[in-house]
Amino acid sequence: MNMPPSPSGAVRTDGSPVQIGALVPLTRPGWVEAGQHLLAGLELAVDEVNDAGGIVGRPLELVVRDTAADPQRAGAAVDELARLGVAALAGEYHSVVARAAAARADALGLPFLCSSAVLDALTEQPTDWVARLAPAQSRGWRTYADFLLGAGHRRLAVAAQPSVYWASGTRILRDRFAARGGTVTALDAGTLAPTALCDELVDSGATALLLLVGHPEPVVPIVRAVRRDQRLADILIGAPAGQPEFAEWATSLGDDGAAIPFLRYLPERLGPLGARVEKALRERLGAAPSFVAFEGYDTIAVLAEVLRSHGTDRARTAESWPSVAVEGTRGKIQFSRTPGIDVWQWAWPPIQVVDRDPAHPDRFRVLHTS
C-alpha cells in the first residue's frame, strides 16, 4: 500500500510510554454518558495491558481528547495527537465526528481503530489506515427493519433531524421496507412541535414511529407527547440508534422510556472474558456497562496485540489490520473488506434488537438477533 512517512519512527525500547490517542465525547452536545462508558472500557483495557507487562515492557498510555460531538474539534484533536507522536487513534461514538477524524487520520497516515461509530461512509475513499469494530449502519439498521417487518409493520414513520447519519438510516429503512411492499414517511422533527408531529403521525397511518433525533431534546418531549396521545395508543416507538441503552434515558423518561426497541451490539450470552470484563466495568462505572463500554475495551485489546506483534511504527500497524485475530469480549475480532465499506471492518459483531422491560425498566428484553 502507498504509505506516507511514519512520524512515529522505529520501535523504541527505552521504557517510555506507548501512547494511544483516545477520541471521546465527554461534554455536551456530545452524548456524555456514551463517552463515559467508552472511556471506561478503554481505560480498563489499558490498565490490564499494563498489569500484564505493557507493550514489550513499555507502559501503554491513553492521551484523551474530548470531541464534544464536534467534527472540527475532532479533526483538530487528530492533528494534535499526530504531532504528539501517538502510535494510533482509538474511540469516538458519534458517526459524523468519527468521519471527520477518519479523514484526518487517513491524510496524516495515522492508524485509527474506530470503536463505536457505524456510518457506512466513514471515509470518502478506500483507506488502509482506518479499521472499525462497530457494525456498519447498513447491516444494523437492516436487521432492525427486518425486526419491524417480522412483527407485521408495513407503514413506518421516522421523526428525524437533519444529519448525514439520520438521512443514511432513513435510506436504509426505506429500501428495506420498499422491498417488502412497505412505506416509510419522514417527519421533520426539526420543525414540527411534538403535538404537531403527533397529528402528522396519525394522518400517516403508520403503525411504528422511529426516533432519529438527539437526546434529551427533542426525543424526550416527543416520546411524552406520543405516549399521552390516545390516538396513538397502539403505535410502536423505536430508537434504532441505541439511546435507551443508557441510564440517562430511563432517568429522563421513566416508564415512558420502556418498550422502545433499539440496537445493541452484544451477544445473547457473554463468554468468560466478556463476563469478567462486565464485572470489572460495572465496578468502574457503578452501573451496568453498555455495549459501548465493551467496544472501548475491545479497541484496546486489538491495538495492544497489534503493537506487541508489529511494533509501534504507524505504517506497520496499518498493514496489520487483515492479519488481526483477537479474542474480544463479544467474539473473535478479525477485519476484512466488506462491499460498500471503505475501511477495514469487523464483519460480524453481534447485533440484537432490545428494549427495556415495562415491568422492570432497569432490565432489558432481547426481541431479535441477527
Side-chain angles (χ1 to χ4, degrees), residues 293-348:
F294 289 94
E295 289 173 330
Y297 182 96
D298 286 342
T299 301
I300 296 300
V302 169
L303 287 175
E305 180 58 30
V306 167
L307 293 168
R308 289 190 198 101
S309 301
H310 300 277
T312 58
D313 180 82
R314 293 173 178 175
R316 293 185 67 188
T317 295
E319 290 169 346
S320 74
W321 300 130
S323 64
V324 164
V326 173
E327 195 62 40
T329 59
R330 299 161 299 138
K332 179 170 284 189
I333 298 168
Q334 296 177 291
F335 299 108
S336 60
R337 288 298 193 187
T338 302
I341 309 297
D342 287 336
V343 302
W344 287 99
Q345 175 71 52
W346 182 21
W348 302 114

Side-chain angles (χ1 to χ4, degrees), residues 151-239:
H153 297 284
R154 292 296 182 274
R155 303 184 73 176
L156 176 66
V158 297
Q161 291 177 296
S163 161
V164 171
Y165 175 62
W166 299 129
S168 172
T170 300
R171 285 194 301 273
I172 294 164
L173 294 165
R174 184 170 280 128
D175 290 346
R176 203 66 163 182
F177 266 68
R180 298 275 291 274
T183 62
V184 175
T185 300
L187 306 176
D188 188 351
T191 59
L192 289 171
T195 53
L197 190 147
C198 288
D199 292 338
E200 295 279 348
L201 187 55
V202 171
D203 291 342
S204 75
T207 62
L209 168 68
L210 301 192
L211 304 170
L212 312 189
V213 294
H215 180 280
E217 296 290 337
V219 75
V220 169
I222 291 175
V223 171
R224 287 178 174 156
V226 173
R227 292 293 199 210
R228 284 154 181 71
D229 193 321
Q230 291 302 311
R231 300 172 298 171
L232 301 171
D234 295 328
I235 200 161
L236 172 76
I237 305 175

Side-chain angles (χ1 to χ4, degrees), residues 63-100:
V63 184
V64 181
R65 292 295 181 267
D66 173 21
T67 63
D70 183 338
Q72 291 186 330
R73 184 166 173 170
V78 174
D79 288 346
E80 178 198 3
L81 291 165
R83 289 194 301 271
L84 290 174
V86 299
L89 291 176
E92 194 46 48
Y93 174 77
H94 298 284
S95 282
V96 175
V97 179
R99 188 172 65 161

